């Protein structure tokens, strides 16, 4: 997990289905300054890790759009992350 993990999940929790580029642009616009915003590569790494842990899923058959899962909502609510890596 990296510095983009929580901001990405919080954005997706707004009931959005959005692609990585949209996440990048939205988080960039919401940041107080550009150095606070995670970069594109950081966001894409976060999305891969979040998907590996079952906290986000790809939307239907479109592999570039993501949505938060129930596990992602529980994580944001403070529940510990279950180890899905065996």
């Amino acid at each position: 997990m990296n510095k983009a993990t929580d901001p990405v999940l919080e954005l997706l929790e707004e009931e959005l289905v959005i692609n990585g580029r949209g996440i990048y642009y939205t988080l960039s616009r919401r940041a107080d300054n550009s150095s606070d915003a995670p970069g594109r590569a950081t966001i894409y790494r976060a999305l891969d890790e979040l998907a590996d842990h079952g906290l986000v899923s790809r939307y239907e058959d479109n592999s570039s759009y993501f949505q938060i899962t129930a596990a992602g909502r529980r994580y944001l609510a403070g529940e510990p992350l279950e180890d899905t890596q065996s």
Side-chain angles (χ1 to χ4, degrees):
M1 304 291 208
N2 62 39
K3 81 176 198 172
T5 299
D6 288 350
V8 167
L9 280 176
E10 290 164 356
L11 179 61
L12 292 173
E13 190 178 36
E14 295 176 20
E15 301 298 330
L16 297 174
V17 174
I18 191 168
N19 64 10
R21 177 177 274 183
I23 292 169
Y24 167 73
Y25 286 122
T26 302
L27 293 179
S28 294
R29 295 191 126 235
R30 290 183 178 181
D32 291 333
N33 61 59
S34 61
S35 64
D36 290 339
R40 283 185 220 180
T42 302
I43 288 170
Y44 283 106
R45 279 193 308 274
L47 285 167
D48 287 341
E49 291 175 1
L50 290 166
D52 289 345
H53 288 288
L55 303 179
V56 300
S57 63
R58 299 195 187 277
Y59 182 70
E60 295 178 358
D61 291 331
N62 191 327
S63 64
S64 63
Y65 284 80
F66 294 87
Q67 62 189 0
I68 193 169
T69 64
R73 283 185 173 71
R74 289 191 304 270
Y75 171 82
L76 283 177
E79 290 187 25
L81 183 63
E82 294 180 16
D83 185 15
T84 59
Q85 310 274 322
S86 300

